[in-house]
Amino acid sequence: ITLIAGATDLYWVGGSGNWGDANNWSYSSGGSTCGCIPTLNDNVFFDANSFSSGGQTVTIDQVAYFKSMNWTGVTNTPTLAGNQTFNIYGSFILSPSMNFTYTGALFFKSSSLGNTITTAGKTINSTVYFDGLGGEWTLQDNLTTTSNINHVSGSLNANGVTVSAYIFQSTGSGIRSLTLGSSIINVSHTWYNPYYAWQVSGSNLTFNAGTSTINLTGTTAYFASDSRT
């Protein structure tokens, strides 16, 4: 397997397969295999030439690294599955025309501005981390996860959409910015442990609540913060 240095666009080909199989990646849409797998510099695309029939699945069989992921234009309703970690250094764009059963952790690690996240109505069964010094992520539609959202560093803009999670945390001393705008935040913690359902506190945080609403929907969904409006 050849690991390509520098930014490259890679396209999924061949229908069902494992992320780590070099025969499933090409330098062009529907092209021949490149004998390589994505690195943190590479943009990955899933499109109309990626899947030949229904019921085909991309399985994340190993820890995955990529810059941006884009499923726009995909056909035949494929499934993204697996439980290995995603390390995302750019944008993350799903499609309504796919199934999403993936359960691995999502680590957004970009150190650059202008990244976007579109989940296209899919529920994310993953813990989501935003942790990139100097990185910026703007939500383009509602974000729903059955697990936790952890904002460690970088700028997160909820952009007026609805965000639903088990726990939402922005704590510690990482340099970060959290902008809620007119968003609705639903947190549903229902089991006692040392974490709060909503916890925004710590140093090096620029926080703008805007006109947002925070709903504590779980039976033990407690609110914690420090001296912030």
Side-chain angles (χ1 to χ4, degrees):
I1 295 175
T2 302
L3 298 179
I4 304 300
T8 305
D9 290 344
L10 294 179
Y11 294 81
W12 183 266
V13 294
S16 290
N18 291 326
W19 179 275
D21 186 347
N23 292 317
N24 281 118
W25 296 103
S26 174
Y27 293 133
S28 61
S29 176
S32 58
T33 60
C34 64
C36 60
I37 62 173
T39 72
L40 59 86
N41 297 310
D42 302 326
N43 299 308
V44 297
F45 296 89
F46 301 81
D47 64 10
N49 293 316
S50 295
F51 305 96
S52 58
S53 62
Q56 296 182 329
T57 300
V58 177
T59 302
I60 310 305
D61 63 323
Q62 64 182 57
V63 175
Y65 300 85
F66 54 90
K67 187 175 181 183
S68 293
M69 173 181 282
N70 193 328
W71 288 74
T72 301
V74 75
T75 58
N76 292 310
T77 320
T79 297
L80 179 60
N83 58 13
Q84 297 295 309
T85 298
F86 267 167
N87 294 280
I88 306 163
Y89 291 83
S91 297
F92 186 69
I93 304 170
L94 302 181
S95 167
S97 303
M98 65 181 292
N99 297 313
F100 191 89
T101 64
Y102 171 79
T103 58
L106 300 179
F107 283 87
F108 290 93
K109 293 184 172 182
S110 177
S111 59
S112 62
L113 305 178
N115 303 299
T116 63
I117 298 173
T118 301
T119 54
K122 306 304 173 183
T123 296
I124 308 299
N125 297 305
S126 307
T127 300
V128 181
Y129 296 87
F130 295 96
D131 188 8
L133 184 62
E136 178 190 54
W137 308 272
T138 302
L139 304 184
Q140 301 299 297
D141 59 0
N142 296 343
L143 173 61
T144 300
T145 175
T146 58
S147 189
N148 303 349
I149 295 175
N150 294 288
H151 179 211
V152 181
S153 66
S155 298
L156 175 60
N157 186 346
N159 199 27
V161 305
T162 297
V163 178
S164 300
Y166 190 62
I167 291 171
F168 190 110
Q169 285 187 309
S170 182
T171 61
S173 59
I175 299 172
R176 62 204 191 281
S177 172
L178 177 59
T179 303
L180 299 184
S182 59
S183 287
I184 296 173
I185 313 296
N186 300 311
V187 282
S188 59
H189 187 274
T190 56
W191 180 67
Y192 176 78
N193 65 31
Y195 295 103
Y196 294 93
W198 170 270
Q199 188 171 14
V200 172
S201 60
S203 59
N204 296 317
L205 170 63
T206 300
F207 178 61
N208 189 336
T211 58
S212 60
T213 300
I214 300 168
N215 294 318
L216 310 172
T217 65
T219 55
T220 55
Y222 299 119
F223 181 99
S225 188
D226 47 22
S227 298
R228 302 181 190 276
T229 300

